[in-house]
Amino acid sequence: MNTINLKFMKDPFYKNVQQQIKSQIISGQFTEGDLLPSENDLADKYKITRSTIRHALEELVKEGYISKRKGKGSIVSLPNRSLGIFRFRNLPGATDKLDPIKMIFIKKPQLGEWDDYFFFAISDEEKAAGCIYFKRICLLGDEPIMLEYTFIANLGIEALIDKPFLNNSVLDTLNAVYLIEITGLQQELKAISTDKPLSKIFNLKKGKPLIQIQQKFSTSKTNLFIYSRILYNTEKFNISNSLSL
Amino acid sequence: MNTINLKFMKDPFYKNVQQQIKSQIISGQFTEGDLLPSENDLADKYKITRSTIRHALEELVKEGYISKRKGKGSIVSLPNRSLGIFRFRNLPGATDKLDPIKMIFIKKPQLGEWDDYFFFAISDEEKAAGCIYFKRICLLGDEPIMLEYTFIANLGIEALIDKPFLNNSVLDTLNAVYLIEITGLQQELKAISTDKPLSKIFNLKKGKPLIQIQQKFSTSKTNLFIYSRILYNTEKFNISNSLSL
DNA sequence: CAGTGGTCTAGACCACTAA
DNA sequence: TAGTGGTCTAGACCACTGT
């Protein structure tokens, strides 16, 4: 059974299933708190054994798309999907009601040249391809909390310029449009002082401390990387994350 | 086969194997770059199937103790074991030779009371048990880079006070002495300014930005948590980490 | 080439959850 | 009690590494 010629399928079964379920979650067919079909049902549906289904689900657990409860099922969970992009948590004393988070473009996605002094070393191929970049701020209520610069080599991903982002996320958009997955992340943290231009953007006194995170995401598309530089104002809000093993 | 009464064994087979191999790595019987025995050999040795061995090894991969290469084997890897405690990387321009890292106690492990305003909410049980705490700085060359406060409720872990730490790590020590494992981590990042006492410790001007990370580790021992507050001087050194999926 | 890890099947019994 | 995820067995074939 299932002797479909494996040589012509680049991906193993479990990756296919993983990708299909992930797409259904990203596109909203399953939302937070929903139960996936049981492992036995999924095995019937995809006509593979439960072990292989379990392998797929386990990958989704690693990526944070689902969690599991014995006797209950697989529970869809949206948060922490963004792989190391830290999320906010209110400081005690700060607004306790969860203000809506708004992402606003300061510079819309466009094609241009790479900076001469870019914060990560880029390849000649990336340099030649030119750079799709944009700049956004994140508002919590009316307060600017985060400033984000994103840079990606223009290696066959022009759709980023026209299409609106899925879930406000480049990563989700690349996944939905090109099936590009994130395979790794390298990031550097640093504390810096607010300078004059930043002080305007954050409405913050010069000299106040900020957190800077520079990230380089690796993707399943060879030689395609996503770079971002993020500045956080942590005066009123912490950056928090949690892991479980 | 392997019908040893499961009811009397709290842990599944794969956890046992996982723990045994992990101990051998922590205690130095395997060191960085070594190859573990092959999955078939391990299966023979522990008298369980290869699938179960693979489950154990996979957990060790998740924890960062090993990595795998198809056709080669399972490779022991020490780094990144510390689960979200970010590690250093030299900034370009800073000393390129890797200076040795020294951990020095400013306050040796001792038993005391909890602070009234502790940075995480603690349970009554923890409060009643009292607090084992200590304070260390981390020197890179002669430069103070990190200041670390650690707090743990005294719930049957007195050995921490007498014994020297294994690998300079509370986590490794708890694992080796009490078989306590880390099951999760919650952490909060913030940028703060250097005040007077910190300026002495870090030999840094007042007002310079620092990174503060407050952590709460969950463990396999119920109600036992490990708290730490860490301050980093990132003027000359980044905090860097990397993940792969 | 022999040996390794990667994938997969087709079963089985268990502990847990919720009705 | 029926259904779920958790563990485990005993096989099989594959792609990849090194000699």
Side-chain angles (χ1 to χ4, degrees):
Chain A
M1 173 169 288
N2 247 316
T3 44
I4 312 152
N5 199 330
L6 283 168
K7 285 168 196 159
F8 296 140
M9 312 190 49
K10 33 187 172 187
D11 279 343
F13 293 155
Y14 83 88
K15 280 235 172 206
N16 269 306
V17 175
Q18 173 192 355
Q19 182 64 48
Q20 286 186 48
I21 297 177
K22 192 203 282 191
S23 299
Q24 290 173 355
I25 294 176
I26 293 181
S27 67
Q29 293 173 48
F30 292 111
T31 55
E32 183 146 23
D34 284 0
L35 283 180
L36 291 185
S38 77
E39 295 179 348
N40 283 315
D41 288 352
L42 288 171
D44 289 347
K45 177 177 174 190
Y46 290 103
K47 306 222 182 309
I48 54 183
T49 42
R50 193 175 146 223
S51 313
T52 305
I53 291 291
R54 280 182 64 75
H55 193 167
L57 294 185
E58 193 187 326
E59 295 297 310
L60 291 172
V61 168
K62 275 193 214 163
E63 295 186 66
Y65 284 92
I66 62 172
S67 60
K68 291 172 143 208
R69 287 266 305 276
K70 194 197 286 192
K72 185 100 181 285
S74 302
I75 305 153
V76 175
S77 59
L78 271 303
N80 269 10
R81 278 225 322 285
S82 33
L83 208 187
I85 296 186
F86 297 92
R87 293 180 314 128
F88 295 104
R89 205 178 82 171
N90 290 7
L91 273 183
T95 63
D96 214 18
K97 56 175 159 54
L98 219 51
D99 285 317
I101 290 182
K102 276 174 285 185
M103 296 290 291
I104 296 176
F105 279 106
I106 297 186
K107 198 169 285 191
K108 291 223 168 199
Q110 54 197 268
L111 188 56
E113 297 300 313
W114 291 90
D115 253 3
D116 278 340
Y117 13 74
F118 193 64
F119 55 86
F120 275 105
I122 59 171
S123 68
D124 291 341
E125 188 186 5
E126 287 175 289
K127 193 141 207 164
C131 174
I132 295 176
Y133 64 96
F134 57 89
K135 193 169 161 185
R136 298 190 290 184
I137 52 171
C138 172
L139 300 179
L140 191 60
D142 283 330
E143 199 129 19
I145 288 296
M146 184 191 95
L147 173 63
E148 177 205 58
Y149 304 78
T150 305
F151 309 86
I152 315 175
N154 180 30
L155 298 166
I157 49 162
E158 293 79 5
L160 280 191
I161 300 180
D162 318 313
K163 295 212 178 188
F165 285 179
L166 185 58
N167 301 335
N168 272 327
S169 160
V170 199
L171 275 37
D172 282 356
T173 308
L174 284 175
N175 191 288
V177 180
Y178 299 107
L179 290 183
I180 291 172
E181 294 189 72
I182 301 302
T183 56
L185 165 62
Q186 178 189 339
Q187 63 183 355
E188 298 183 356
L189 266 79
K190 212 179 159 175
I192 63 170
S193 287
T194 305
D195 62 11
K196 212 160 195 177
L198 288 175
S199 114
K200 272 189 191 168
I201 292 173
F202 281 120
N203 189 24
L204 204 61
K205 268 193 196 160
K206 233 188 94 183
K208 287 278 187 182
L210 298 172
I211 282 185
Q212 171 188 273
I213 304 182
Q214 292 175 334
Q215 301 177 317
K216 175 181 186 176
F217 291 92
S218 319
T219 71
S220 54
K221 187 173 157 76
T222 333
N223 302 329
L224 182 69
F225 300 94
I226 301 162
Y227 303 91
S228 69
R229 175 170 177 251
I230 305 175
L231 299 171
Y232 289 101
N233 172 9
T234 57
E235 199 178 40
K236 293 185 188 156
F237 300 94
N238 275 339
I239 300 170
S240 76
N241 72 344
S242 53
L243 323 171
S244 57
L245 278 185
Chain B
M1 175 168 287
N2 249 316
T3 45
I4 312 152
N5 198 330
L6 282 169
K7 284 168 197 160
F8 297 141
M9 311 190 49
K10 33 187 174 190
D11 278 344
F13 293 155
Y14 83 88
K15 280 236 172 202
N16 267 306
V17 175
Q18 174 191 354
Q19 183 63 49
Q20 286 186 49
I21 297 177
K22 192 204 281 190
S23 299
Q24 289 173 358
I25 294 175
I26 292 180
S27 67
Q29 294 173 47
F30 293 111
T31 55
E32 184 146 22
D34 284 0
L35 284 179
L36 290 186
S38 78
E39 296 179 348
N40 283 315
D41 288 353
L42 287 171
D44 288 348
K45 177 178 173 189
Y46 289 103
K47 306 223 181 310
I48 55 183
T49 42
R50 195 176 146 223
S51 313
T52 306
I53 291 292
R54 280 182 64 75
H55 193 167
L57 294 184
E58 194 188 325
E59 294 298 310
L60 291 172
V61 169
K62 275 192 214 163
E63 295 186 66
Y65 284 92
I66 62 172
S67 61
K68 291 173 144 208
R69 288 267 303 278
K70 195 197 286 192
K72 186 100 181 287
S74 302
I75 305 153
V76 175
S77 61
L78 272 303
N80 268 12
R81 278 223 324 283
S82 33
L83 208 186
I85 295 187
F86 297 93
R87 293 179 314 125
F88 295 105
R89 204 177 83 170
N90 291 7
L91 272 183
T95 63
D96 215 19
K97 57 175 159 53
L98 219 50
D99 284 316
I101 290 181
K102 275 174 284 183
M103 296 291 289
I104 295 177
F105 279 106
I106 297 187
K107 198 168 286 190
K108 293 224 167 198
Q110 54 196 268
L111 187 57
E113 297 300 314
W114 291 90
D115 253 3
D116 277 341
Y117 14 74
F118 193 65
F119 54 86
F120 276 105
I122 59 171
S123 68
D124 291 341
E125 188 186 3
E126 287 174 289
K127 193 142 207 166
C131 174
I132 295 176
Y133 64 96
F134 57 89
K135 194 169 160 186
R136 298 191 289 185
I137 52 171
C138 171
L139 301 179
L140 192 59
D142 284 330
E143 199 130 18
I145 289 294
M146 184 192 96
L147 172 63
E148 177 204 59
Y149 303 78
T150 306
F151 308 85
I152 315 174
N154 180 31
L155 297 166
I157 49 161
E158 293 80 5
L160 279 190
I161 300 181
D162 317 313
K163 295 211 179 187
F165 285 179
L166 185 59
N167 301 334
N168 271 328
S169 159
V170 199
L171 275 38
D172 282 356
T173 309
L174 284 175
N175 191 288
V177 180
Y178 299 109
L179 290 182
I180 292 172
E181 295 189 71
I182 301 304
T183 56
L185 165 62
Q186 179 190 340
Q187 62 183 355
E188 299 183 356
L189 266 79
K190 212 180 159 177
I192 64 170
S193 286
T194 305
D195 61 11
K196 212 159 197 179
L198 288 176
S199 112
K200 273 190 190 169
I201 291 173
F202 281 118
N203 188 25
L204 203 62
K205 266 193 197 160
K206 235 187 94 182
K208 287 279 186 182
L210 298 173
I211 282 185
Q212 172 188 273
I213 304 182
Q214 293 175 334
Q215 302 178 316
K216 177 181 184 175
F217 291 92
S218 319
T219 70
S220 52
K221 187 174 157 73
T222 335
N223 302 328
L224 183 71
F225 300 95
I226 302 162
Y227 304 91
S228 69
R229 175 169 178 251
I230 305 175
L231 299 171
Y232 289 100
N233 172 10
T234 57
E235 199 178 38
K236 294 187 187 155
F237 299 94
N238 274 339
I239 301 171
S240 76
N241 72 342
S242 53
L243 322 171
S244 57
L245 277 187

